């Protein structure tokens, strides 16, 4: 029996104390803790995590030190932490620091290999090497499953972040908050495969797209093979804002191939849109503003924040209903980053309030589960085969 196998139920820490413990562990893991050794945590970090994870009510707000002291004693008493004997000498003293105790064994075992697709048969000699981390193995597994899939041989080329979601977005490892699937190939450079960009892109049938140069024109743009970017005049005065650059590229590309009345499309650059909306004037002759972004706390807060700064001379921001429809239909949820993972029901309702009524309850449920849908799920493969997406934005 380990020290964490509690048989005396009277010694089990309170739920709030355990929330503090989980918050401390989560932060330590994000900062590189392996979980196999003790981890020193200064009391300042304990306070930070406490105020982020524990909600105080009433008179409790006046006694944070006393509550922290109680929780730390509870956790120390069952060997989850070790508190230093040195204190900060406050009226209600707190330990100078604490040590998180290990949560897993340092002995590493290599998981069994899956049956490899012929394109990945060479992975066998790298699988058990010390430098092959759990992340790299998970990437090989996800790629192997994708290559074995029935549609892998019939795919069309996609921008790399859209392809990354199809390859990695359904693997449990890459649905965790610290590993957003659409961005995995931005940073994964392990040898031999992931460091060889040309070979990798050919294998996964993907290509890289660069974010556009920013202009005041908001013009829809189209990338023809070998010709670069050039503007395509729109027939209307509507402005479509896209949160992320890859989806912006794919939608702009498709607007060059379909009959549409959309006058302008712009890359919102995430939260930058909240400020940049103020640069729109009467001279731009914008008749309506439609927004499409990630379905998560951050992505839904952007149009709300922009709307609050939106001068009365401009039309209100409305959602791209059919694009959000497609995102709910096509996407596999991943977990939000820790800072966004917890949201109250009231806050979730507020963030979803600007969406179309048929999407609000789905968005609220997604946020309350601490999950997200990256807009790159609505990729070039869908946009080029289904014209429903543009019916409410053109």
């Amino acid at each position: 029996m380990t020290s964490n196998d509690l048989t005396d139920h009277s010694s089990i820490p309170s739920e709030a104390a355990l929330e503090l413990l989980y918050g401390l562990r989560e932060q330590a893991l994000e900062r590189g803790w392996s979980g196999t050794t003790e981890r020193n945590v200064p009391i300042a970090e304990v306070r930070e995590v406490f105020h982020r994870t524990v909600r105080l009510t009433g008179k409790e707000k006046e006694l944070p030190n006393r509550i922290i002291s109680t929780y730390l004693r509870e956790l120390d008493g069952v060997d989850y932490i070790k508190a230093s004997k040195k204190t900060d000498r406050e009226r209600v003293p707190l330990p100078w620091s604490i040590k998180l105790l290990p949560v897993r064994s340092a002995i590493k075992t290599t998981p069994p290999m899956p049956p490899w697709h012929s394109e990945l048969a060479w992975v066998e000699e790298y699988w058990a090497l010390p430098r092959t981390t759990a992340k790299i193995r998970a990437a090989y597994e996800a790629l192997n499953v994708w290559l074995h899939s029935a549609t892998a041989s019939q795919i069309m080329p996609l921008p790399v972040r859209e392809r990354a979601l199809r390859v990695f977005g359904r693997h449990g490892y890459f649905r965790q908050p610290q590993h957003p699937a659409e961005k995995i190939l931005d940073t994964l450079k392990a040898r031999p495969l992931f460091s060889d960009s040309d070979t990798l892109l050919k294998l996964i049938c993907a290509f890289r797209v660069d974010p556009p140069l920013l202009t005041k024109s908001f013009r829809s743009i189209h990338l023809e093979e070998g010709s670069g970017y050039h503007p395509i005049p729109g027939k209307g005065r509507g402005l479509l804002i896209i949160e992320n650059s890859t989806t912006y590229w794919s939608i702009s590309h498709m607007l060059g191939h379909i009959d549409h009345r959309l006058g302008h499309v712009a890359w919102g650059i995430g939260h930058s849109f909240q400020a940049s909306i103020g640069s729109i004037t009467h001279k731009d002759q914008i008749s309506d503003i439609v927004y499409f972004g990630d379905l998560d706390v951050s992505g839904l807060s952007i149009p709300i924040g922009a709307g609050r700064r939106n001068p009365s001379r401009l039309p209100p921001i409305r959602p791209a209903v059919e694009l959000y429809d497609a995102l709910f239909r096509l996407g596999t949820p991943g977990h939000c980053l820790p800072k966004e993972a917890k949201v109250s029901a009231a806050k979730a309702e507020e963030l979803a309030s600007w969406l179309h009524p048929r999407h609000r309850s789905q968005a609220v449920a997604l946020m309350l589960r601490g999950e997200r849908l990256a807009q790159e799920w609505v990729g070039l493969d869908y946009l080029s085969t289904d014209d429903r997406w543009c019916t409410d934005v053109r």
Side-chain angles (χ1 to χ4, degrees):
M1 180 178 295
T2 67
S3 59
N4 288 349
D5 291 329
L6 305 178
T7 55
D8 179 5
H9 294 283
S10 65
S11 65
I12 297 177
S14 63
E15 183 175 340
L18 290 173
E19 282 292 318
L20 175 60
L21 173 68
Y22 300 150
L24 290 167
R25 286 177 174 174
E26 187 176 77
Q27 178 167 285
L29 289 168
E30 289 172 9
R31 296 179 178 180
W33 181 44
S34 66
T36 62
T37 60
E38 293 183 350
R39 171 80 169 197
N40 192 67
V41 182
I43 195 62
E45 289 187 20
V46 176
R47 292 178 188 275
E48 174 192 334
V49 173
F50 171 79
H51 287 293
R52 192 170 68 237
T53 59
V54 179
R55 296 179 182 177
L56 302 179
T57 59
K59 292 184 177 180
E60 290 180 344
K61 295 181 179 180
E62 303 172 10
L63 304 169
N65 274 23
R66 191 178 301 280
I67 296 171
I68 293 173
S69 177
T70 299
Y71 292 169
L72 294 183
R73 285 199 305 272
E74 291 181 35
L75 298 173
D76 199 337
V78 291
D79 295 333
Y80 282 123
I81 68 167
K82 286 182 182 177
S84 67
K85 293 182 180 179
K86 184 179 179 181
T87 71
D88 57 9
R89 297 185 178 181
E90 295 289 338
R91 188 169 63 86
V92 178
L94 292 175
W96 192 256
S97 64
I98 68 165
K99 286 184 178 178
L100 292 174
L101 299 185
V103 295
R104 60 174 68 97
S105 170
I107 299 174
K108 296 182 179 180
T109 58
T110 302
M113 289 188 296
W116 294 114
H117 186 276
S118 59
E119 296 277 4
L120 288 180
W122 54 267
V123 170
E124 183 172 355
E125 64 181 285
Y126 293 90
W127 185 257
L129 294 181
R131 72 168 185 260
T132 306
T133 64
K135 180 178 182 179
I136 297 171
R137 291 192 187 96
Y140 286 147
E141 287 177 335
L143 183 55
N144 189 55
V145 170
W146 179 78
L147 286 169
H148 275 300
S149 68
T151 58
S153 62
Q154 304 171 350
I155 49 170
M156 65 178 290
L158 293 182
V160 67
R161 284 195 174 182
E162 294 179 4
R163 177 66 72 218
L165 271 180
R166 276 69 170 172
V167 175
F168 304 108
R170 293 182 173 88
H171 190 288
Y173 187 93
F174 299 106
R175 293 175 63 192
Q176 299 308 305
Q178 63 270 40
H179 306 296
E182 72 273 19
K183 298 178 181 179
I184 287 301
L185 296 181
D186 294 3
T187 56
L188 184 60
K189 305 298 180 184
R191 292 181 295 170
L193 177 61
F194 298 106
S195 63
D196 184 345
S197 179
D198 291 342
T199 299
L200 177 62
L201 293 179
K202 182 178 180 180
L203 179 64
I204 64 175
C205 198
F207 56 92
R208 297 195 181 278
V209 296
D210 297 317
L213 291 173
L214 301 180
T215 69
K216 180 64 166 59
S217 67
F218 304 109
R219 272 302 180 196
S220 173
I221 62 173
H222 171 48
L223 181 63
E224 287 189 347
E225 189 173 347
S227 66
Y229 288 102
H230 67 274
I232 290 180
K235 300 177 182 178
R237 295 189 296 137
L239 168 62
L240 172 62
I241 304 289
I242 308 297
E243 179 181 350
N244 297 333
S245 61
T246 296
T247 310
Y248 167 83
W249 185 94
S250 293
I251 286 178
S252 297
H253 179 83
M254 285 312 305
L255 288 174
H257 296 279
I258 61 174
D259 181 24
H260 69 91
R261 296 190 300 276
L262 185 66
H264 316 277
V265 60
W267 173 33
I269 325 180
H271 281 277
S272 299
F273 173 55
Q274 294 181 339
S276 63
I277 189 175
S279 68
I280 302 174
T281 67
H282 278 305
K283 294 180 181 178
D284 296 308
Q285 298 185 325
I286 301 299
S287 62
D288 60 308
I289 301 174
V290 187
Y291 190 85
F292 179 51
D294 296 331
L295 277 167
D296 56 18
V297 173
S298 177
L300 291 173
S301 69
I302 291 170
I304 290 178
R308 288 170 180 161
R309 298 188 58 163
N310 188 1
S312 58
R313 65 179 181 274
L314 295 175
I317 301 168
R318 61 182 177 85
V321 179
E322 294 295 338
L323 285 169
Y324 281 113
D325 238 11
L327 182 50
F328 276 114
R329 187 169 65 252
L330 301 172
T332 297
H335 289 285
C336 285
L337 293 172
K339 64 181 180 181
E340 296 183 351
K342 291 186 177 180
V343 61
S344 68
K347 184 64 175 177
E349 294 279 358
E350 176 190 346
L351 292 171
S353 62
W354 77 284
L355 291 173
H356 189 278
R358 74 171 180 251
H359 295 148
R360 290 172 190 167
S361 61
Q362 292 174 275
V364 168
L366 190 77
M367 287 183 281
L368 291 180
R369 293 194 303 267
E371 295 177 341
R372 67 187 293 269
L373 285 169
Q375 68 174 155
E376 287 87 353
W377 282 113
V378 182
L380 191 62
D381 47 353
Y382 165 75
L383 298 170
S384 62
T385 56
D386 191 318
D387 62 3
R388 283 177 294 176
W389 64 269
C390 59
T391 55
D392 66 325
V393 298
R394 62 183 182 179

